[in-house]
Amino acid sequence: MRIFEQVKEAVTVLDAARYYGLKVTRNGMVCCPFHHDRHPSMKLNREYFFCFGCGARGDVIDLVAKLFGLSNYEAVKKLTQDFGIDPDPGTAPAAVNVRKIAYFRKKAVQEELQECHRVVCDYLHLLDSWKFLYAPLSPAEGMDERFEEACERYSYVEYLADYLTFAEEEEQIEAMEQLKKDGTLQWIRDRLAQQEKEDEAYDEQTAA
């Protein structure tokens, strides 16, 4: 097995991207480092990257070569040094510094967990404000939809926030994965984004 194949087997595109400081989103997207990119337009997975904006694409070696202005051979040398890869001259896969890769994978999960906690807490604070801002002033007054949403969801979201704060890390990760699987986390993100747009529109209207 040639050194190029050994390196690609040992280090994934996601591992390299995180190691070299690219901020990978929960769905494997990053702001493309190869053009002016305000919103993540580059998709990463284990074997390749592809930018929907500028069309940049390739494997882990191509990524490192483009990031640092290196030839592919120089990129391979950098990857072997940075990831502690000991290339085997025979046909066996390269020996790799498993601890280093495991560290960055664990760090990525922890960052995702922090972002999940932030999203849930932001929604909890939003519901908390709605309970006071939109509470009916009299029994005859109809209930605002935001007040109803706060009353219906507050206890559950408060429980989620507490669990993601005080449970053991493995339990927090399991909870996060379940929230991702059943769509709750994405629904909360969408709800917050919708409210942010409404607030911006209101501010613009007020300013005008």
Side-chain angles (χ1 to χ4, degrees):
M1 184 183 291
R2 294 184 299 122
I3 182 60
F4 279 57
E5 279 70 25
Q6 288 179 305
V7 167
K8 286 190 283 187
E9 181 172 323
V11 185
T12 70
V13 171
L14 284 166
D15 289 333
R18 288 169 178 142
Y19 183 85
Y20 295 119
L22 299 182
K23 295 187 181 298
V24 184
T25 68
R26 64 193 178 282
N27 56 351
M29 300 292 291
V30 297
C31 287
C32 178
F34 308 127
H35 76 281
H36 183 62
D37 192 11
R38 296 182 59 187
H39 303 288
S41 63
M42 178 181 281
K43 176 68 176 178
L44 311 176
N45 66 14
R46 292 181 58 84
E47 290 82 23
Y48 71 89
F49 66 92
F50 176 74
C51 178
F52 295 95
C54 68
R57 67 182 70 196
D59 57 27
V60 65
I61 297 170
D62 297 317
L63 178 67
V64 174
K66 287 178 69 66
L67 277 174
F68 296 99
L70 305 173
S71 68
N72 281 3
Y73 179 71
E74 291 170 332
V76 167
K77 287 182 63 178
K78 181 171 181 60
L79 283 162
T80 59
Q81 293 169 0
D82 291 344
F83 283 88
I85 298 171
D86 181 18
D88 183 41
T91 58
V96 63
N97 189 329
V98 177
R99 281 188 180 181
K100 183 174 286 189
I101 292 180
Y103 167 77
F104 284 100
R105 287 178 180 167
K106 181 176 176 61
K107 183 179 178 183
V109 171
Q110 290 174 334
E111 289 175 352
E112 187 178 13
L113 190 58
Q114 290 173 358
E115 197 264 346
C116 175
H117 181 266
R118 179 193 63 76
V119 167
V120 170
C121 287
D122 284 352
Y123 185 48
L124 180 65
H125 294 151
L126 182 63
L127 294 178
D128 194 38
S129 67
W130 284 354
K131 285 173 67 177
F132 291 96
L133 289 174
Y134 302 107
L137 300 177
S138 70
E141 184 180 348
M143 284 198 295
D144 188 281
E145 290 180 356
R146 288 161 291 192
F147 178 74
E148 290 182 334
E149 183 176 333
C151 291
E152 290 172 2
R153 298 179 177 272
Y154 188 86
S155 295
Y156 172 62
V157 178
E158 184 179 41
Y159 163 77
L160 286 179
D162 287 344
Y163 195 85
L164 291 169
T165 301
F166 298 112
E168 297 294 329
E169 184 175 83
E170 288 186 6
E171 295 173 327
Q172 293 177 4
I173 293 171
E174 288 179 6
M176 176 182 68
E177 293 300 328
Q178 182 58 42
L179 291 173
K180 289 163 59 179
K181 183 177 180 181
D182 65 21
T184 299
L185 189 58
Q186 187 58 51
W187 185 91
I188 293 175
R189 287 193 180 102
D190 292 343
R191 190 69 182 92
L192 290 170
Q194 177 188 350
Q195 185 58 41
E196 184 178 358
K197 288 181 180 179
E198 291 176 1
D199 290 343
E200 289 176 356
Y202 177 80
D203 290 341
E204 289 176 2
Q205 193 175 39
T206 302

